[in-house]
């Protein structure tokens, strides 16, 4: 049975001349496979999932599973605006060998996304998905927040096993950890609040920064588990500027540029995302060097 | 050459047991064909476009074009998160005989949707689309606003012919009308501000209320054009509660319920949208009766 | 009996070395007195009311009334966070000879400002205020919107005579005009949507731009009233960039700088507002010249 | 020299028939004096500061200082919209014997509250205030956030000694703790995230819940300091529902009602705040009983 824990990297999708390059994907995965990452998330926000079509999505899940050693897990982002499409993609994820699905809430019809709508959506998906369902709360992108009351309620469905919360609202995350069903997993959605999340009951996280600094992310958990809170805090503080740069600071284009600097393949994002400007690259490099993620020179 | 003007109804998509019913679509279109509507918008927000897959979208454009008399126009909503998918769907729209495409701005990566991203997106789409492009601003759903500066800038592209602005921000709409390229068309995105939009330079609108009260909507334009402002205002005021009920008030489910009450086929929306509760149906019926859209009894 | 109509200028408060200069106020008022303005609003958002203390506020009302010819009206902004303080200031306004009070809604406790709170607040103020009460909706500053339902409800109180709506939401303003009590006055809160407001039933406005271009603002109303819609629209379009510059564009500091350029006294705003930078002054001058509000050279 | 640490209760202002009751204040303070609270915050959001006038504010500071034993500290909330009024009230706070001032950022002119405005405001206040200045970030009420970059910048002013951050954004709080000047104090603004704040470097908090459950709040800090993280987390989880009820859940009226239930004096808030409904009182009582803050019966 699948257990959600440890650090996952929500991997970017490598494009060469606008098309997915499975070769680049393979070589990136070779790097991640050699780290302490528990697994990879394919088709997350960092994977530009909203910019891919169904066929590309399915092919990505398939290739990630193929390239990644069996001891590493694969979570597929399958949330779409309709329950119907979400289920279709979740079925494909199951067929391609993913371990679980990560389902962002629908959000286009914002003012109608009441708790009852979101509940009906998630129950429908959980009922019919072969794979265990992980909720995904990302209000900065969706403009909708999954309240702790809703999440606690949904935690009692047997096929909903956890939540990736990217809100950064630690009170909300604490409520989820405290009041959800025994065994329901809280996962930090960003490295910027990994340590406080662990303290309040999270068991790991899906962290953009884990793409480029998997060691540091895993080390925070290790130090926390061994009771070295001072060391964990130092590591957490060190990762803050790096994490900001590759998330809210410079976005997916920033994450991709950082990967390029580190010898992985990042490349360019798809329109409407734009490649990082030269000026921002200079600032990004400085941040990476200061945090010792990148060696000077 | 296609001229954008008059009233369009952004039609709902009829589902029977979760699947599109082209039969119901056909009978609805028979009704709209007999009105003064300039044409129909297929795949708009009211059409639940985000809840449809590519094949369903293509089939809808095709059938709407087939069922609608040749003298009526078809505008297809083809905006997707990526320029790539938007272009793929716009090509299909051209192949299926649509007259123009209505392109909502990408919005998932909200904080990165700067004017330069939106401009790059729209220029790419406009350059490669066979059909003329109409911008679509719907901040209530997207969480992103197309500024008047951006719209004025884009108005100078020869394949961008107008904007459907659903913001209700009349100052912004006035700026667009005043400063965009000669011939660029301003279209009201809601019946609730059709008349003031006309006064400031709009030539028509794409109006949810036009699905159920096409006569009243067209009459506002006719009265305005003949200089009967008093009559136009009265008609505008009468349509306000009806329009609110089928838009921000009760949403797509409300529009569909109203269609059912009027003898058209509305049916149920797709998850995560939910059918209108009985209590709301009672209030909706009252509103329709008060506005003389529905006869009592 | 006081009738709300025509154009009011919400006047800035002139500071010299941080203190109110009644001399500068007097000379500014001499200018406005010679125009077609119906009256002045003292202690509005443009008057930096939140940055003044009670004594300064009372003195301002008193001096404005003293300096302004009797045929011109004075409206005093007296809305504070508490009903108690609002009433205290409203009493002072009555004592100093103001004609009406303009009451912005309390907004610090945003999440608690439900319709029932706002209704209780306004009813309490209206019951006890000697002067007629004008509601003031300014969501850009308050983060709270006065819904049309609430305003229509409040319009039935005999001492609540109208609303200055600065939301720019023309559908909401249309609903207010259509459904409020006969005689309740809708006032545009910005020159950027004066004309469409008039069309939907407004009788005038309180307009930042009226401080520097009172003639143009009054002319829009005159043209509208004589049925010259084409002329009114042209004038409305011409005022758009000027209005934007002295409101959302460059703020109160921009309005004050514009007044300085025009030979009135603007001066500097109080902290936390900052004087306009030199670069923005250059752009402001251009805008004023382009709109023929300022003569070149 | 004043050191910011431990738990402060931001006390409500007791009204009897609309006027401050210093007698009720005295008896409430007698209770708090007997707890482990480090001190009290007078004139915070919970103190309905925006609903009080200058004279009431000064009298409150004076009486709180008089009634509270000398070994307990008094922090006065003195932030107003203008630097001028903030300084006037800060001077009064110094005269009345307060230990420090808590200064919320101005927020009425939201769109103009850029970092440079906020910086100029706080530097002016810090330069001229006799008492040490504590920044106060409360975006839920102000609609403006003090960014970590701004706070880090301001931390280098010698008279700005810390920040009470009520944002609940733990990543931001972590950045402040990590990058501000050595000795600058981070204070949690709500009991709902006290423990994770401590882990990231906070030394205490100003907590609405401390008014009614000072023991539990102080115990979280004690357990944390002794390294009993498991115990601290349990206590933190227990306080969550209580804290929510007396903050975002039921607001100031909820806090006051809870005080009444516990034998302190809460009373009614001032308009536009409304007393708690009977139905909400029932739910509040349940929450207090479940958390063992109130004994059943």
């Amino acid at each position: 049975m699948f257990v959600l824990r440890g650090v996952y990297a929500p991997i970017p999708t490598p494009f060469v001349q606008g098309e997915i390059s499975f070769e680049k994907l393979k070589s990136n995965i070779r790097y991640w496979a050699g780290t302490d990452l528990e697994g990879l998330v394919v088709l997350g926000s960092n994977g530009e999932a909203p910019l891919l079509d169904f066929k590309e999505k399915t092919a990505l899940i398939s290739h990630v599973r193929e390239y990644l050693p069996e001891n590493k897990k694969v979570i597929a982002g399958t949330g779409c605006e309709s329950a119907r499409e979400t289920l279709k993609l979740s079925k494909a994820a199951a067929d391609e060998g993913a371990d679980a699905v990560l389902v962002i809430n629908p959000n286009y019809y914002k003012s109608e996304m009441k708790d009852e709508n979101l509940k009906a959506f998630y129950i429908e998906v959980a009922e019919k998905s072969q794979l265990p369902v992980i909720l995904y709360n990302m209000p900065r992108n969706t403009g909708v927040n999954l309240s702790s009351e809703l999440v606690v309620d949904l935690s009692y469905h047997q096929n909903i096993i956890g939540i990736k919360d990217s809100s950064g609202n630690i009170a909300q995350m604490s409520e989820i950890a405290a009041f959800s069903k025994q065994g329901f997993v809280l996962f930090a959605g960003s490295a910027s609040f990994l340590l406080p999340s662990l303290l309040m009951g999270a068991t790991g996280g899906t962290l953009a920064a884990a793409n480029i600094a998997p060691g540091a992310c895993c080390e925070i958990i290790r130090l926390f588990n061994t009771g070295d809170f001072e060391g964990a805090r130092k590591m957490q503080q060190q990762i803050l500027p790096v994490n900001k740069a590759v998330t809210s600071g410079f976005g997916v284009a920033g994450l991709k540029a950082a990967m390029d600097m580190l010898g992985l393949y990042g490349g360019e994002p798809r329109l409407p995302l734009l490649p990082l400007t030269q000026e921002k690259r200079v600032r990004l490099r400085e941040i990476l060097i200061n945090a010792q993620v990148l060696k000077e020179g």
Side-chain angles (χ1 to χ4, degrees), chain A:
Chain A
M1 208 193 112
F2 176 71
V3 177
L4 186 58
R5 65 177 173 211
V7 176
Y8 282 74
I11 64 172
T13 300
F15 299 113
V16 171
Q17 292 178 326
E19 298 298 319
I20 299 176
S21 164
F22 292 105
E23 199 184 333
K24 300 296 189 188
L25 178 69
K26 192 173 187 175
S27 83
N28 282 344
I29 288 179
R30 207 173 296 133
Y31 165 72
W32 293 314
T35 69
D36 285 340
L37 292 175
E38 178 80 8
L40 301 180
V41 171
V42 59
L43 303 179
S45 299
N46 288 295
E48 295 173 69
L51 310 181
L52 303 171
D53 64 29
F54 190 86
K55 231 166 117 181
E56 290 177 317
K57 288 180 180 179
T58 310
L60 269 172
I61 303 171
S62 167
H63 283 86
V64 167
R65 184 61 283 176
E66 179 191 340
Y67 300 151
L68 195 67
E70 279 192 21
N71 65 324
K72 303 280 188 192
K73 307 296 183 191
V74 174
I75 298 174
T78 60
C80 299
E81 284 295 323
S82 70
R84 178 192 173 99
E85 191 75 1
T86 302
L87 281 167
K88 198 171 136 201
L89 189 54
S90 296
K91 188 177 179 318
D95 293 345
E96 301 297 345
D99 294 284
V101 290
L102 179 67
V103 180
I104 200 164
N105 56 288
N107 52 76
Y108 181 72
Y109 297 101
K110 281 178 186 47
S111 51
E112 300 187 43
M113 288 305 99
K114 315 287 188 204
D115 275 8
E116 58 180 355
N117 294 72
L118 294 168
K119 183 173 176 178
F121 171 84
Y122 276 118
I123 294 295
E124 166 82 1
V125 170
E127 286 292 322
K128 299 191 177 160
S129 166
Q130 295 168 256
L131 296 178
V133 171
I134 304 163
L135 310 175
Y136 180 14
N137 189 33
M138 179 57 164
R140 191 163 61 91
N141 283 353
T142 63
V144 174
N145 181 52
L146 300 184
S147 71
S148 56
E149 287 80 4
L150 174 65
V151 173
V152 167
D153 189 4
L154 290 170
S155 76
Y156 286 89
H157 191 285
Q158 59 172 18
N159 203 27
I160 300 181
I161 62 166
I163 182 170
K164 172 188 178 183
D165 195 334
S166 298
S167 69
N169 180 338
I170 193 73
Q172 175 172 285
M173 295 175 76
S174 300
E175 287 169 0
I176 291 170
F179 306 121
S180 59
K181 194 182 69 176
Q182 178 84 13
F184 183 79
V185 172
L186 173 66
F187 237 47
S190 165
S192 61
F193 48 83
L194 175 58
L195 178 58
S197 301
L198 294 174
L199 179 65
M200 294 315 301
T203 64
T206 295
L207 316 168
N211 283 295
I212 54 169
C217 294
C218 294
E219 185 67 2
I220 289 173
I221 297 185
R222 199 190 62 76
L223 290 167
F224 175 81
N225 285 338
T226 60
D228 181 357
F229 294 93
E230 198 47 51
R233 176 163 56 218
K234 269 195 192 146
M235 192 67 83
Q236 171 68 70
Q237 290 185 339
Q238 202 177 335
I239 205 80
L240 285 171
V242 174
N243 181 74
K244 198 172 205 171
V246 299
T247 57
S248 61
F250 301 133
V252 174
L255 175 57
K256 290 190 151 182
M259 288 179 65
D260 284 330
M261 291 176 194
L262 287 160
L264 295 162
Y265 181 81
E268 300 197 353
R270 271 194 180 161
L271 261 178
L273 299 182
L274 292 171
L276 214 60
T277 61
Q278 194 48 40
E279 187 208 332
K280 287 182 179 169
R281 276 174 205 271
V282 171
R283 286 162 53 202
L284 173 61
R285 182 178 292 277
E286 264 177 37
I287 292 167
L288 295 178
I289 289 172
N290 285 343
Q292 297 176 305
V293 169
L294 185 64
K295 282 190 196 112
E296 208 159 348

